[in-house]
Amino acid sequence: MARDIDTTLLSSARPAPVADRGLGRWLRANLFSSWTNSLITLAILWLAILIVPELYRWAIANAVFQPDFMSCRAVGREGACWGMIAEKFRLIFFGRYPYLEQWRPLVATLLMAGMLWISCYPRFWRKWLAPAWALVLLAFILILRGGVFGLEYVESNLWGGFPLTLLLTVVGIFLALPLAVLIALGRRSKLKAIRSFCIFYVEIVRGVPLITVLFTASFLFPLFLPPEYNIDVLLRVQIGIILFTAAYLAETIRGGLQAIPGGQYEAAAALGLGYWQTVRKITLPQALRIVVAPLVNTFISTFMDTSLVTVVSLYDLTGALRLALGDPNWKAFFMEGYLFVAAIYLVCCYGMSRYSQWVERRLGAASRR
């Protein structure tokens, strides 16, 4: 009888579980999960085998790293000419800013980068952060502009390179965000005049490309002003970017507000909260939490769109590269220059994307607690 029972148990035993970890499991799950994925994976591997060795020879093995254009011409297209970056780095990074004063945009850029780094950590999300940002932006502009503390005055049309890209992006985002919140609330207002104005503004701005806004701010707007009024072109372009970005951010935030259940508003009314208390404490925090990813997408678009200011004679990072390529000795090596600028944009955009994912995970964990 005992032998019969043991045989029954052995015949009904389930197979051992398959390990769900390890390289083999990951490859099966992500690269060879079906015959279609297997074919795509093999095709990509075949292309990589063809391209990577050639890319290595061009970018590293045969490349010229010294700033010697004769050596670059001798190598030709068999190798990259990174010496072009070494020779024109300061012009690309700082634009037409006076050569002997380029330590100032470097200090200003490091100052703003440090403030951005501090602002990324929740432990520093305190009431002092907004005044600190105002001081940093003021210091950034004073350092670049000069005329105080013994610094030489530099006109804004000489600002350029990465500091100009950073300034247009940071100021454009930080000032557009509160304006976008007001526009989004206005589009949901019960007052028809306010709602109609906000709808008109959003539809008009979203109906034209940014380059049109920049042309209007740079060339058409001064025609409507008295001759004695001369607003700085950089300020006009910055205002144009703020207004343009605010329209897109407003629609994103409005989407988040519409996703809030009606019960939240009813609960706030039952607690006796007024309109602004409900917005500040109940609906707006939840709406911003919902639209973190679309907001960062708009931030990245704003960062990329700053390259369009070149058309109104402001030389940001991309425009400064075009200035560098104006040198006939180095003009032939434009590909290396554009790859260098693309790498800077890629690092910045990838950093913003990863940070938004971290914020989403953190807010998701906080909401589950």
Side-chain angles (χ1 to χ4, degrees), residues 30-289:
N30 295 278
L31 302 180
F32 300 98
S33 58
S34 65
W35 68 269
T36 307
N37 289 341
S38 300
L39 286 177
I40 294 174
T41 301
L42 292 176
I44 293 175
L45 286 176
W46 180 68
L47 289 176
I49 292 173
L50 292 179
I51 294 174
V52 170
E54 293 296 326
L55 183 62
Y56 173 78
R57 278 192 287 272
W58 179 81
I60 298 178
N62 297 334
V64 177
F65 294 91
Q66 296 78 19
D68 182 1
F69 72 91
M70 295 300 293
S71 300
C72 292
R73 288 185 176 181
V75 172
R77 303 319 301 175
E78 297 296 323
C81 178
W82 302 120
M84 181 267 180
I85 305 299
E87 176 68 20
K88 299 294 182 181
F89 175 79
R90 293 181 66 163
L91 180 56
I92 295 173
F93 204 79
F94 300 116
R96 296 185 300 166
Y97 206 86
Y99 191 84
L100 296 178
E101 300 290 330
Q102 288 180 354
W103 62 270
R104 288 160 53 181
L106 177 61
V107 170
T109 302
L110 292 176
L111 184 64
M112 185 171 289
M115 197 64 201
L116 285 170
W117 182 81
I118 290 175
S119 303
C120 289
Y121 287 89
R123 71 177 67 176
F124 298 117
W125 295 351
R126 299 290 185 268
K127 292 183 178 179
W128 55 264
L129 192 60
W133 261 110
L135 290 176
V136 168
L137 289 176
L138 179 62
F140 187 95
I141 294 173
L142 287 179
I143 291 173
L144 286 180
R145 182 178 181 274
V148 293
F149 306 119
L151 298 175
E152 179 184 349
Y153 174 73
V154 178
E155 294 183 354
S156 62
N157 59 359
L158 297 178
W159 303 3
F162 187 72
L164 179 62
T165 300
L166 191 63
L167 176 68
L168 293 173
T169 303
V170 172
V171 175
I173 291 174
F174 282 8
L175 295 187
L177 190 57
L179 179 60
V181 171
L182 295 177
I183 296 171
L185 294 174
R187 287 207 63 171
R188 294 171 53 84
S189 175
K190 296 179 181 179
L191 299 177
K192 187 175 180 180
I194 295 177
R195 186 172 67 252
S196 301
F197 174 78
C198 293
I199 293 174
F200 176 79
Y201 171 78
V202 170
E203 296 302 329
I204 287 294
V205 174
R206 291 201 310 165
V208 297
L210 176 59
I211 195 169
T212 305
V213 177
L214 297 178
F215 266 112
T216 302
S218 180
F219 300 117
L220 294 183
F221 183 71
L223 300 178
F224 300 101
L225 293 177
E228 60 270 22
Y229 291 99
N230 183 20
I231 302 177
D232 189 273
V233 63
L234 178 58
L235 178 60
R236 281 181 268 136
V237 167
Q238 183 69 82
I239 292 174
I241 292 176
I242 292 171
L243 297 177
F244 187 84
T245 306
Y248 285 86
L249 288 175
E251 285 301 280
T252 302
I253 295 172
R254 186 173 68 89
L257 290 172
Q258 288 183 334
I260 304 298
Q264 298 285 327
Y265 295 94
E266 296 171 359
L271 292 174
L273 298 180
Y275 175 77
W276 290 109
Q277 287 179 314
T278 302
V279 169
R280 185 167 56 88
K281 296 182 178 180
I282 305 295
T283 59
L284 189 59
Q286 296 184 69
L288 294 178
R289 179 182 301 171

